[in-house]
């Protein structure tokens, strides 16, 4: 009752012992997308599908697979606030010696590859493909009708960005949150962000950076994941420092501290 006009996702859940046994959430989720305008919306039907496996391979340059690397997925739509979907992002699955991996019990929805944990510092995710098309920036659908495996392609020669966080001409800032943010058209791709905390002398080093164009920001403190929110970033866009990171390149740049913000 009393729903304001807008576009919504309506979720429903039921117990799912099979998903829990496979390492997923103990419930299965379904959803219906609906528009609320100037009248009631009756007779909504919500189908609750079973969770599915997401399979794929990781391809390393020269076929030399790094040991002990793990694939992490992240939900990429309204379901990101649902605990069962958040749980997927907390499950990093191991890549075997042949480069294969399987993420079990993934609820249906839209996802991205958020990271490859354990990569050497000189390596980065170059692309993610499905159906022979790049889904690295756009994400991909997980459902029973889309069983095509993912292909994650690694690159070598990651760059780095170093510098000092300053607050005025004479003061360096330890403990600042320094974030490397990709160019505007790629900001939905979480795998391209890199963040660190400046050390006691205000210095920072951002490693494992995929070649490309970025901005460097330094905040006294910010809410968790605020830097991936477009509305938040619009307020601070002019405080970032533009950098271009080349293959195996190191960029030195100093950044000015942005005072603490609460939203």
């Amino acid at each position: 009752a009393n729903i304001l006009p807008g576009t919504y996702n309506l979720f429903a859940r039921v117990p799912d012992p099979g998903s829990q046994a496979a390492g997923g959430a103990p419930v299965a989720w379904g959803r219906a997308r609906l528009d609320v305008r100037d009248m009631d919306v009756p007779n909504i039907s919500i189908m609750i599908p079973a969770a599915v496996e997401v399979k794929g391979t990781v391809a390393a340059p020269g076929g030399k697979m790094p040991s002990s690397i793990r694939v992490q997925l992240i939900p990429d739509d309204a379901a990101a606030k649902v605990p069962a979907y958040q749980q997927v992002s907390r499950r990093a699955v191991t890549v075997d010696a042949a480069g294969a991996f399987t993420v079990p019990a993934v609820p249906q929805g839209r996802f991205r590859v958020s990271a490859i944990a354990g990569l050497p510092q000189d390596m980065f995710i170059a692309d993610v493909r499905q159906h022979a098309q790049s889904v690295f920036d756009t994400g991909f659908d997980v459902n029973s009708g889309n069983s095509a495996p993912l292909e994650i392609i690694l690159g070598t020669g990651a760059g780095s960005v170093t510098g000092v966080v300053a607050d005025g001409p004479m003061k360096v800032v330890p403990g600042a949150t320094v974030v490397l943010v990709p160019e505007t058209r790629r900001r939905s791709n979480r795998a391209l962000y890199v963040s660190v905390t400046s050390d006691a002398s205000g210095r920072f080093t951002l490693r494992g950076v995929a070649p490309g164009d970025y901005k460097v920001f330094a905040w006294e403190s910010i809410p968790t994941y605020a830097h991936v929110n477009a509305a938040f970033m619009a307020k601070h866009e002019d405080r970032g420092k533009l950098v271009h990171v080349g293959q195996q390149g190191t960029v030195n740049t100093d950044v000015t501290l942005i005072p603490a913000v609460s939203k």
Side-chain angles (χ1 to χ4, degrees):
N2 302 317
I3 303 300
L4 294 174
T7 300
Y8 293 86
N9 282 260
L10 182 63
F11 290 89
R13 66 182 183 183
V14 296
D16 189 352
S19 172
Q20 186 175 24
V27 294
W29 288 84
R31 75 173 90 181
R33 294 178 175 86
L34 60 145
D35 290 322
V36 177
R37 297 299 177 229
D38 56 353
M39 63 182 66
D40 291 345
V41 184
N43 302 321
I44 296 169
S45 177
I46 301 178
M47 300 297 294
I48 301 182
V52 299
E53 289 184 335
V54 175
K55 295 185 176 184
T57 58
V58 177
K64 298 180 179 179
M65 188 63 56
S67 61
S68 302
I69 60 173
R70 303 175 305 283
V71 174
Q72 293 175 282
L73 304 183
I74 189 171
D76 190 43
D77 58 14
K81 295 184 178 181
V82 176
Y85 286 78
Q86 294 172 352
Q87 182 178 334
V88 175
S89 63
R90 294 192 291 268
R91 285 190 282 134
V93 298
T94 302
V95 179
D96 67 21
F101 66 88
T102 299
V103 186
V106 181
Q108 295 198 20
R110 193 158 185 85
F111 288 83
R112 295 176 180 275
V113 173
S114 64
I116 302 292
L119 274 184
Q121 289 184 350
D122 69 329
M123 299 189 77
F124 59 92
I125 303 175
D127 201 6
V128 179
R129 298 175 183 173
Q130 189 181 54
H131 298 293
Q133 295 183 334
S134 178
V135 294
F136 192 25
D137 290 342
T138 61
F140 54 93
D141 290 321
V142 173
N143 56 59
S144 58
N146 181 22
S147 59
L150 297 175
E151 181 186 8
I152 302 174
I153 301 169
L154 303 180
T156 57
S160 60
V161 178
T162 66
V164 175
V165 180
D167 186 10
M170 302 297 293
K171 182 182 178 182
V172 297
V173 182
T177 301
V178 184
V179 183
L180 190 68
V181 177
E183 58 183 312
T184 303
R185 69 181 179 86
R186 305 194 73 186
R187 288 191 181 177
S188 59
N189 189 339
R190 297 280 189 94
L192 296 176
Y193 290 78
V194 185
S195 61
V196 294
T197 300
S198 59
D199 66 17
S201 60
R203 297 200 62 83
F204 64 88
T205 301
L206 299 149
R207 297 184 173 88
V209 180
D213 295 314
Y214 298 86
K215 277 188 175 182
V216 187
F217 296 83
W219 284 277
E220 184 177 1
S221 66
I222 58 171
T224 304
Y225 298 124
H227 57 275
V228 299
N229 181 282
F232 175 87
M233 290 302 299
K235 300 175 183 178
H236 305 280
E237 195 67 44
D238 60 346
R239 305 294 297 274
K241 198 75 167 288
L242 280 167
V243 295
H244 175 77
V245 180
Q247 197 86 6
Q248 296 182 315
T250 297
V251 179
N252 294 290
T253 185
D254 296 340
V255 291
T256 301
L257 183 73
I258 303 172
V261 292
S262 58
K263 61 181 180 178

